[in-house]
Amino acid sequence: MKRKVLSMVLAASMVATALVGCGGSGESAPAASTEPAAEAPAAEAEAPAANTEAEAPAADAAAPTGNKVGVSMPTKDLQRWNQDGSNMQAELEAAGYEVDLQYASNQEETQVSQIENMINGGCSVLVIAAIEANSLSTVLEKAKSANIPVIAYDRLIMNTDAVAYYATFDNYKVGVTQAQYIIDTLDLDNADGPFNMEVTAGDPGDNNAPFFYNGAMDTLQPYIDAGKIVIPSGQVDFATVGTPKWSTENAQSRMENILSSNYADGTKLDICLCSNDSTSLGVQNALAANYTGDYPIVTGQDCDIANVKNMIDGKQSMSVFKDTRTLASQVVKMVGQILSGSEVEVNDTTTYDNGTGVIPSFLCEPVFADANNYKELLIDSGYYTEADLQ
Ligand code: BGC
């Protein structure tokens, strides 16, 4: 698989080089193209020349022309994807690329047809945040035949050997950060508990969701084993606690049921472990309408505006900040490195196997956020303005 991907990358970069030679993108050659020639692409080092030639379709036959990057985002409904999309567009355009940015309304078929249009429309690279991890194999076969390298953005695309690279945040660490906050806040190393916890995880169709869940649950497991944390609903395995499409409404209605079945008698709820902000919002809505005891610890992820406001108001305890500007910059760098045939910067070559092999990945660092540090993290850094949070 690796050799095929490398061949595609090489073929695409040959085309890009040819285009630069033609002056097609002369006014805006990507920054990465200025990398010293001495940095031989890893591809050349690893792929025997004979195989490269044998497996790569002739670049001039099927390879795309142009300097266009297709960016496929899942939905405009969640704030983070709007930020990801507009950051990518701004950075790619600033680097001189033409951008075809599409949002797919969380509809798998829409995403497939948008990607198909990007392929037919001559995109040289595709950057894709998948709605459903397994739904893109067929359309990405077409990308592969057209020698268009694919970068999986934030979410790994599963079971296709068309994915060349993956860029994301350290998803396991997101869960660990949420769990560590719970451990520290309740002083679980010293307190006896038991503390009551309920778990809300992400979309089972998103490969990130089990990473978040496992990061948190692996970290909390010793305290569960010691009886310091208990789960009154008994709902704990990933399949049971998942939230289809990460929807606020789904998380809310599941939590309403849990509250009415397990907490209506005044049982105290101490911890709501929520994988992200959209599900956390649903849990907070359920708590507001159905729970009158001492307010529990509620976790989240993304620092969405509504959730940061709730952190300031004390309705959400923490979130995990994933600066979408950092991820976008890294991916723009990757695009430049791919198209210029430079070595593509990755920092993880073991964690993310998409079913066809490990995909070389770049993992950005997630950061802990709460009501005490949000100003520095989010406002001083220019991510939000004060007015956004009013
Ligand atoms: C992302 C999270 C996001 C979730 C819902 C995940 O793949 O990594 O940041 O909250 O999708 O959109």
Side-chain angles (χ1 to χ4, degrees):
M1 164 250 166
K2 195 162 189 192
R3 275 186 282 107
K4 281 189 203 145
V5 167
L6 295 170
S7 318
M8 282 165 51
V9 169
L10 284 175
S13 66
M14 280 159 60
V15 171
T17 309
L19 285 167
V20 170
C22 295
S25 58
E27 102 261 23
S28 49
S33 64
T34 57
E35 299 241 337
E39 269 189 38
E44 276 171 9
E46 289 174 38
N51 287 333
T52 303
E53 274 159 26
E55 291 185 19
D60 54 0
T65 57
N67 193 29
K68 203 197 255 185
V69 180
V71 180
S72 169
M73 289 283 141
T75 174
K76 272 188 161 279
D77 292 351
L78 276 198
Q79 188 198 321
R80 76 150 289 185
W81 302 115
N82 291 290
Q83 277 164 327
D84 286 276
S86 54
N87 288 338
M88 284 290 303
Q89 179 160 33
E91 289 217 24
L92 284 167
E93 284 176 355
Y97 298 101
E98 193 186 332
V99 179
D100 182 0
L101 168 64
Q102 303 290 334
Y103 294 88
S105 310
N106 257 343
Q107 301 294 322
E108 291 160 33
E109 341 49 274
T110 306
Q111 184 162 48
V112 168
S113 75
Q114 288 175 340
I115 293 171
E116 216 151 43
N117 289 339
M118 288 172 186
I119 296 168
N120 297 336
C123 288
S124 302
V125 178
L126 296 176
V127 177
I128 301 172
I131 294 168
E132 208 283 328
N134 287 288
S135 62
L136 299 176
S137 306
T138 308
V139 70
L140 292 190
E141 271 307 304
K142 294 184 189 163
K144 199 172 120 190
S145 312
N147 288 319
I148 303 172
V150 174
I151 300 173
Y153 185 94
D154 194 81
R155 299 171 169 175
L156 187 57
I157 304 167
M158 302 301 287
N159 299 314
T160 161
D161 66 0
V163 179
Y165 295 98
Y166 178 38
T168 188
F169 288 85
D170 185 335
N171 295 307
Y172 188 85
K173 194 169 176 189
V174 168
V176 172
T177 305
Q178 294 166 336
Q180 196 56 52
Y181 176 81
I182 293 167
I183 293 166
D184 294 344
T185 307
L186 295 175
D187 192 18
L188 285 180
D189 288 323
N190 298 306
D192 291 333
F195 296 101
N196 292 331
M197 176 168 88
E198 297 299 340
V199 183
T200 302
D203 183 354
D206 178 350
N207 187 61
N208 287 351
F211 280 87
F212 303 141
Y213 171 87
N214 288 331
M217 293 306 285
D218 291 350
T219 311
L220 294 174
Q221 198 58 49
Y223 304 94
I224 296 174
D225 292 343
K228 292 188 176 191
I229 295 179
V230 295
I231 300 174
S233 70
Q235 297 184 20
V236 68
D237 60 287
F238 178 71
T240 312
V241 301
T243 309
K245 293 277 191 272
W246 294 97
S247 122
T248 298
E249 294 70 28
N250 290 339
Q252 178 170 343
S253 65
R254 181 172 159 268
M255 194 62 190
E256 282 167 357
N257 289 336
I258 288 176
L259 288 172
S260 67
S261 307
N262 302 279
Y263 297 87
D265 60 358
T267 301
K268 186 164 179 273
L269 175 57
D270 301 289
I271 310 159
C272 293
L273 172 66
C274 303
S275 278
N276 87 328
D277 279 355
S278 60
T279 56
S280 186
L281 217 49
V283 166
Q284 291 164 49
N285 293 342
L287 287 169
N290 301 279
Y291 180 76
T292 50
D294 286 348
Y295 202 79
I297 291 173
V298 181
T299 68
Q301 163 187 198
D302 290 332
C303 287
D304 284 349
I305 287 178
N307 298 73
V308 178
K309 287 181 179 172
N310 282 1
M311 284 202 304
I312 297 167
D313 289 349
K315 294 179 196 153
Q316 180 170 329
S317 315
M318 59 84 72
S319 192
V320 178
F321 179 45
K322 303 197 300 189
D323 192 331
T324 51
R325 295 169 300 189
T326 314
L327 183 58
S329 300
Q330 195 60 43
V331 172
V332 171
K333 221 191 220 181
M334 266 186 179
V335 169
Q337 288 164 343
I338 289 172
L339 288 179
S340 65
S342 311
E343 186 171 352
V344 174
E345 189 185 349
V346 294
N347 61 11
D348 184 293
T349 51
T350 55
T351 309
Y352 288 98
D353 188 325
N354 84 338
T356 65
V358 172
I359 306 298
S361 305
F362 192 97
L363 309 186
C364 303
E365 277 291 296
V367 177
F368 166 81
D370 71 359
N372 297 316
N373 72 357
Y374 81 92
K375 277 198 177 134
E376 190 189 330
L377 271 186
L378 304 173
I379 295 178
D380 297 353
S381 76
Y383 200 72
Y384 294 139
T385 63
E386 290 272 9
D388 288 334
L389 302 177
Q390 246 111 68

